[in-house]
Amino acid sequence: MDNQEVLQRTLNRARRALQILEEEKAGYGIRVPVDLQIELEEKQKEITSLEGRLSQLQEKRPESVPDNLPRYHDVFVGRKQEITSRRRTGESALTIRLDRLLEAEALELMQAKGRSHPHLAQKLKATEPEILTALYQASGGNPLALDWTLGQVAHKGYSISVALERLRNAAKSADLYGFLFANAVQTLSANDRTVLSALAGFLTPAKTSALADATDLAITEIQISLEQLVTLSLVNDLDGERFGLHPLTRTYVRAAVDKTDIVGIVPLASGIRLDSAAQRKVLRYWVDFAQKYGGYDKDAYQTYDKLEAEWQNLEGVATTLREMAGIPGALKDREAAQMLIDLEKALYNFIWFRGYWDEGVRLGEWRYQLGKALGQWSDAGWGTYHVAWIHYNRAETDRAASWAAQMAEAMERGGSSRDKANVNCLQGQIAQQRQESVEAKRLYQEALVISRQLRKQNDQAIALNSLGIVAQSQKDYNRAESYFKQALAIEEKLGNKERQAIYCGNLGLIIFDRNRPMEARPWYERQLDLAHEVGRQDLVAGAKAGLAGVLEEEGRYLEGLRLALAALEIRERLRDQYLDWTRQLVERLQRKAGIE
């Protein structure tokens, strides 16, 4: 047996021994015993030496410097020149390496790790792609976090979903998060901690000016802190003078905020306290932002683009406030509960206009739960109204009726006369959807009487429009047209363009039903202009579908089809109650236009 063969066998044994040591190390997570770490390093040096000697015997130079990276596993994917690690720069600054793999590289890492661990490979194969994408997003593409999470599956038998939840919960992953962040956070000043805590309340990158508004620190103080946080790699300095957090940093900060109710754990390392007051200021900042640019005023739609631009932040704040408040379950934080009620109130009309209907259902349910917990029955009732209204507009009649009943109960306990009139209108609309026209008419007439007594013209217009819909269903077209025109006249006087768009559409429909499609066209065109201006998506769809019907009557099938397809796209996204009708319109126009 020659020396080369002996060295090869010795190298193979050393590699097998290293694999055994690595598996033992994986069982400890991040906190590896010193003696085991030393043994690993010695074995790695031995393998490097053997590889060099073997290469010399083979009379060829190594193609590259031998890879002596710590082998938590025998695979390395992406950015091989940079090993996720903490390293010192200068004399005292401790940086944190939170490098990011591309998603394709991260998936390659998962599969490569699976080839070394059959149990992991089996779990990966059985896991939905969406879960793997969620793992990538939660780790921010960080190789160490991915490797740690996969190790939980490979060596501890967790499912990938359970390991993902552990990664998202710093309380259950204190070894990982403490290793990554604890030492660096201990070096921060009070202002640094305030800025870091505040950034956890921004799900999209924040500008310095927004941080100043949210923290009450001076711009210069924030700039100094940001410089320090960027140096430590706790904060990312992004294009457009914006600053953001890596997903792992955000999870750590939220867990380490002093006295937080979000995660409910003690700080992840002794003596570390982040700024809970800064977090609460940021939450208040976003509620104030929503109140400033949202609301129900007739001209509020003009600033909805600002809410659209920050929707990710606003939605994240709502979730955070819900967790802090403690619902469902016992109320834990009254201030957070009230902020969430205020946020829902400010956002609902925007949500309705822009088609965030699923989110509207969720926020409405939360407002109902919080209103009940606080004994604020009007708030509870309006939360149920918002939920019921979306179900009604999706023709989910039984769900709408259930929520309407809860609204009636809440308003009976603490609502105003106007609140109770709105209960009547909602229940009337549900009765109408069930084709119970007599009951619907009775409820609408009661609502009209109350609105006239209270001199609420907008409510009068709503009741009149509703009575028009009942008359239309009974083919009493003259009465229906009269009701719609009365409602339109009120809203023209008040200057409410959203409501004008509704009533114009109803007038177009009633005239179309009377076999006068050419006269219906101006009403639909006016509705479309108003709907575009205010940005209410369901009304845009209604106007386009109405115009498509007019064009069909005129024999202009291709033009009508274009509008009908646009209406269908919106209604599919909203799951609107007129979705099936619109699909039938599209199919009919396709046949008439000779399109298969």
Side-chain angles (χ1 to χ4, degrees):
M1 185 180 298
D2 60 23
N3 289 338
Q4 182 174 328
E5 186 176 353
V6 171
L7 279 173
Q8 185 64 62
R9 290 189 175 184
T10 303
L11 177 59
N12 291 340
R13 286 196 298 271
R15 285 173 172 167
R16 286 196 294 271
L18 179 62
Q19 184 176 1
I20 293 170
L21 291 171
E22 287 169 343
E23 291 177 357
E24 182 180 356
K25 175 185 175 183
Y28 287 99
I30 297 299
R31 302 188 183 282
V32 181
V34 175
D35 59 334
L36 177 57
Q37 185 64 47
I38 293 173
E39 191 173 354
L40 274 165
E41 292 173 357
E42 291 297 326
K43 187 60 67 176
Q44 289 161 358
K45 289 178 182 177
E46 178 186 351
I47 289 172
T48 299
S49 176
L50 288 169
E51 288 173 338
R53 290 166 59 191
L54 185 61
S55 178
Q56 288 177 349
L57 284 176
Q58 292 171 339
E59 296 183 348
K60 64 178 183 180
R61 298 178 62 187
E63 294 180 0
S64 61
V65 177
D67 183 357
N68 62 355
L69 299 173
R71 288 176 172 82
Y72 179 64
H73 51 74
D74 54 0
V75 193
F76 198 92
V77 176
R79 300 194 179 182
K80 196 166 186 177
Q81 296 181 17
E82 297 179 332
I83 318 198
T84 298
S85 64
R86 299 175 299 169
R87 65 188 182 199
R88 291 189 177 273
T89 60
E91 296 184 356
S92 61
L94 178 67
T95 65
I96 300 170
R97 302 299 296 164
L98 289 175
D99 298 317
R100 184 184 187 95
L101 294 175
L102 298 175
E103 185 169 358
E105 293 174 334
L107 292 173
E108 182 186 348
L109 172 61
M110 296 178 198
Q111 298 304 321
K113 181 79 172 176
R115 287 192 288 272
S116 301
H117 300 279
H119 173 73
L120 173 61
Q122 183 181 10
K123 294 291 186 181
L124 287 168
K125 186 176 181 181
T127 301
E128 295 293 329
E130 294 79 9
I131 301 296
L132 299 182
T133 297
L135 171 56
Y136 170 75
Q137 292 171 343
S139 69
N142 177 250
L144 174 60
L146 284 169
D147 203 40
W148 180 90
T149 307
L150 296 172
Q152 303 290 301
V153 179
H155 301 292
K156 295 189 177 180
Y158 296 137
S159 68
I160 291 178
S161 294
V162 169
L164 171 59
E165 289 307 309
R166 290 178 67 87
L167 177 64
R168 287 171 168 167
N169 189 335
K172 295 181 179 179
S173 314
D175 53 349
L176 173 66
Y177 285 95
F179 175 80
L180 284 173
F181 300 109
N183 289 339
V185 172
Q186 287 176 334
T187 69
L188 301 180
S189 69
N191 282 354
D192 298 341
R193 296 184 185 201
T194 293
V195 173
L196 183 61
S197 301
L199 276 169
F202 289 79
L203 294 187
T204 59
K207 287 190 174 182
T208 306
S209 57
L211 287 170
D213 290 340
T215 62
D216 295 330
L217 292 177
I219 290 286
T220 53
E221 293 176 308
I222 289 174
Q223 290 171 334
I224 292 170
S225 289
L226 285 172
E227 183 177 346
Q228 168 72 350
L229 294 168
V230 168
T231 299
L232 292 173
S233 297
L234 287 167
V235 170
N236 296 325
D237 186 357
L238 304 171
D239 292 339
E241 297 183 353
R242 289 175 173 263
F243 300 87
L245 297 183
H246 188 282
L248 293 174
T249 312
R250 185 183 308 283
T251 300
Y252 174 81
V253 172
R254 293 183 67 199
V257 167
D258 187 23
K259 298 181 181 177
T260 182
D261 289 322
I262 297 175
V263 180
I265 63 168
V266 296
L268 296 178
S270 178
I272 295 178
R273 288 284 190 271
L274 294 181
D275 191 346
S276 60
Q279 181 202 42
R280 201 164 287 263
K281 283 181 181 178
V282 171
L283 296 173
R284 183 73 256 174
Y285 165 83
W286 286 119
V287 174
D288 292 344
F289 183 93
Q291 290 175 323
K292 181 177 181 180
Y293 297 115
Y296 293 85
D297 183 80
K298 63 183 177 65
D299 297 320
Y301 69 89
Q302 296 178 8
T303 55
Y304 283 173
D305 283 348
K306 293 185 179 295
L307 299 180
E308 187 80 59
E310 298 293 354
W311 175 241
Q312 187 177 350
N313 282 315
L314 293 164
E315 189 176 20
V317 165
T319 301
T320 299
L321 288 170
R322 173 179 176 264
E323 292 170 349
M324 293 173 66
I327 60 165
L331 185 65
K332 295 193 297 184
D333 189 323
R334 296 182 68 88
E335 182 185 10
Q338 187 59 57
M339 280 198 283
L340 182 50
I341 287 174
D342 294 342
L343 184 67
E344 194 276 349
K345 189 184 305 183
L347 288 177
Y348 179 75
N349 225 39
F350 158 78
I351 286 170
W352 175 248
F353 275 43
R354 296 299 176 93
Y356 292 110
W357 287 10
D358 289 338
E359 294 84 348
V361 168
R362 184 165 63 249
L363 289 176
E365 289 178 357
W366 294 351
R367 182 176 176 183
Y368 169 66
Q369 293 167 351
L370 292 168
K372 283 205 308 180
L374 293 172
Q376 297 172 190
W377 291 104
S378 180
D379 279 318
W382 280 107
T384 61
Y385 177 85
H386 293 160
V387 176
W389 183 241
I390 291 173
H391 286 311
Y392 163 77
N393 278 275
R394 286 176 165 170
E396 297 167 348
T397 312
D398 290 341
R399 289 184 179 180
S402 175
W403 282 100
Q406 293 181 80
M407 179 187 181
E409 179 185 356
M411 294 311 189
E412 189 63 33
R413 298 185 68 170
S416 65
S417 296
R418 187 186 183 197
D419 291 338
K420 293 171 185 176
N422 279 284
V423 171
N424 280 10
C425 268
L426 178 60
Q427 290 180 329
Q429 286 158 330
I430 293 168
Q432 179 68 25
Q433 200 166 68
R434 287 176 165 166
Q435 299 183 344
E436 300 169 354
S437 297
V438 173
E439 176 64 6
K441 184 176 181 179
R442 181 188 69 80
L443 290 164
Y444 292 147
Q445 287 175 333
E446 288 182 7
L448 181 60
V449 169
I450 295 173
S451 63
R452 282 174 171 164
Q453 290 173 343
L454 297 175
R455 298 183 179 180
K456 296 292 185 181
Q457 290 184 295
N458 182 273
D459 293 350
Q460 290 178 43
I462 293 171
L464 287 166
N465 177 69
S466 299
L467 286 167
I469 293 172
V470 173
Q472 182 178 6
S473 70
Q474 297 173 333
K475 301 188 184 304
D476 188 350
Y477 296 129
N478 288 333
R479 186 181 297 274
E481 186 172 349
S482 174
Y483 279 134
F484 293 148
K485 286 185 174 178
Q486 289 180 62
L488 178 60
I490 291 173
E491 295 300 355
E492 286 175 334
K493 178 181 176 182
L494 297 176
N496 189 316
K497 293 182 179 180
E498 177 216 0
R499 307 303 304 181
Q500 290 175 46
I502 296 171
Y503 306 145
C504 285
N506 286 343
L507 281 164
L509 181 59
I510 197 71
I511 293 171
F512 193 93
D513 283 351
R514 302 180 80 171
N515 295 316
R516 289 153 37 197
M518 295 300 292
E519 294 179 36
R521 175 194 286 277
W523 291 112
Y524 284 130
E525 289 176 339
R526 183 177 172 191
Q527 181 189 31
L528 185 58
D529 288 342
L530 289 165
H532 273 308
E533 182 177 347
V534 302
R536 187 169 148 179
Q537 294 300 296
D538 62 317
L539 295 182
V540 170
K544 288 186 174 182
L547 283 170
V550 171
L551 290 168
E552 180 185 20
E553 291 296 318
E554 295 175 355
R556 297 160 64 183
Y557 305 129
L558 283 174
E559 293 178 67
L561 179 60
R562 177 178 58 80
L563 289 169
L565 285 170
L568 179 62
E569 181 182 359
I570 295 172
R571 284 177 166 167
E572 283 179 334
R573 177 166 56 84
L574 300 179
R575 306 201 304 277
D576 186 276
Q577 61 181 317
Y578 301 112
L579 177 57
D580 287 341
W581 181 90
T582 311
R583 284 176 177 154
Q584 293 169 12
L585 173 65
V586 167
E587 291 169 1
R588 194 166 66 244
L589 286 167
Q590 286 175 328
R591 287 195 303 270
K592 291 181 177 180
I595 298 174
E596 295 296 333

